[in-house]
Amino acid sequence: MIGLISATAAGAAARDRLAAAWPDRTRVYEGPAGEAVRAAFAECDRLVCFLATGATVRLLAPLLGDKAADPGVVCVDEGGRFAVSLVGGHGGGANELAYEVAELLGAEPVVTTATDAVGLAGLDTLGLPVEGAVAAVSRALLDGEPVALEAESAWPLPPVPFAGQGAYTVRLTDRDVRPGPQEVLLRPPSLVVGVGASKGAPVEEVLGLIGEALREAGLSVRSVAELATVDAKSEEPGIVAAAERLGVPLVTYPADELAAVSVPNPSDAPLAAVGTPSVAEAAALRHGGELLVPKRKSAAKPAMATCAVVRRPGRGRLAVVGLGPGARDLLTPRAAAELRRASVLVGLDQYVDQIRDLIRPGTLVLESGLGAEEERARTAVAQARKGHAVALIGSGDAGVYAMASPALAEASDDIDVIGVPGVTAALAAGAILGAPLGHDHVSISLSDLHTPWEVIERRVRAAAEADIVVTFYNPRSRGRDWQLPKALAVLAEHREPGTPVGVVRNASRPDESARLTTLAGLDPATVDMMTVVTVGNTATRDIAGRMVTPRGYRWQHAPEGAR
């Protein structure tokens, strides 16, 4: 929960904007500022104070304890010009909150955390539990000193400029080891603990067994990703409470799924009780991995709990990211976050140039020229299979005539794939023209490099006969100058010569141009590969210079002079 505190009318107005935008995330604290800050500090994860920074510092000072536990605090000035990350930038989430608040209020985010200021991913922001000399190793990274990464298993980490060797070390490990004086330990969520329990098994017995199994195997409890068991035990109080105390999810599987898992130590007892010869081992191994701790029973007499521990390998991560039509303000926040998250970036060189300033230090950039789409897709998938966090970029929406299709054709279920939508060229052009896509519409690429012209023409004819608005992608190039005239001729068989046609070139970019013409008036020679052509249906109208397709076929008569 985010506590909101203000002391003036202007502050209260900005406060209320946040409260209205985030009704489920915020709580307004009324009354004197001092009392409100103390109450919110005790009850909330983060605070936004609409107060002067000096006043906020004085109110917070007596309350501060441990930066790992204190809430993050953002301070917004009286004029709403700046959102300042004041306390708990990383651990308390204040840096991220400052960006969110600034975006919502139209303010400037102010983040002074050293790593954020230079675009480095903080070691305590990588999404993994961290131990050791975080400040010293972070300072070494900031100073450009070599910091080595020792990864005992591949894991899709965000970008950090690691070196091959160095006096400072970041070690990725799930083993129960202590960090050295110039070392940071990152704990990957690589361990799955399978658990079985008799009815009424005490939580202390379940937790004691898990802790003992991990200690004897030399494994860190901070790398436990989940507890797993059979569906029949999904509400067993001892297992449920154990997962809650460990702070991990409880994952359950049907007995028939577990019965199909090959295990080294099957037993007749669970088969009779819940329908599978193994619970602990089978649940831990359900999605593969290395069995580190075979089934073992608790020491109680009689034993009421069993457990097994499996190490799952890290799965590579492939984000297929749409950059939008070109303008930076049409790049979605989710896309920007994925670009910062990726340790490997794959894309067309001209698209990489568009977002080069968003690429964090330490990111491996693999760029290539036009015509290498399938090669880029294969490269991105291969990098993800090595365990990296990969972003494969494309213009518009990556799933529309872009990189998602070839990438997913290469990918299998051994990597995680995340699709990040973007603003398509058709949508960007439509917004510039007016509302041409107000009813059913279709996008058709006129490029016959990968699709036979006979197929393209059949699709154009179907759209023409169905009276659907058509947006043409890849309409004309130097080597393909006859396809657009042919497509327009097909449409002309079913639509009047005066049908509105919108032509937009370089939508949303500095050299953007747009014009509204007609089916008979369009000169194909004025169109190129940077152009999107939208042809209206029989209901589309030119209203005050804007291309409008009504939501229904019952067209409302426009006022005099609007046609």
Side-chain angles (χ1 to χ4, degrees), residues 208-231:
L209 173 62
I210 293 171
E212 183 180 277
L214 293 172
R215 280 192 302 274
E216 291 186 8
L219 300 171
S220 172
V221 68
R222 302 192 75 186
S223 279
V224 174
E226 64 188 44
L227 298 192
T229 191
V230 67
D231 278 351

Side-chain angles (χ1 to χ4, degrees), residues 1 3 28 46 55 99 135 153 199 229 276 290 303 322 385 435 474 481 506 514 525-526 535 555:
M1 185 63 65
V28 173
R46 293 178 288 178
Y99 287 110
S153 60
K199 185 175 181 180
T229 191
T276 172
E290 178 187 3
R385 285 188 174 133
N474 306 314
D481 58 0
N506 284 332
T526 63
V535 181
W555 183 260

Side-chain angles (χ1 to χ4, degrees), residues 41 281 371 380 541:
F41 195 90
E281 287 181 340
R541 297 290 186 270

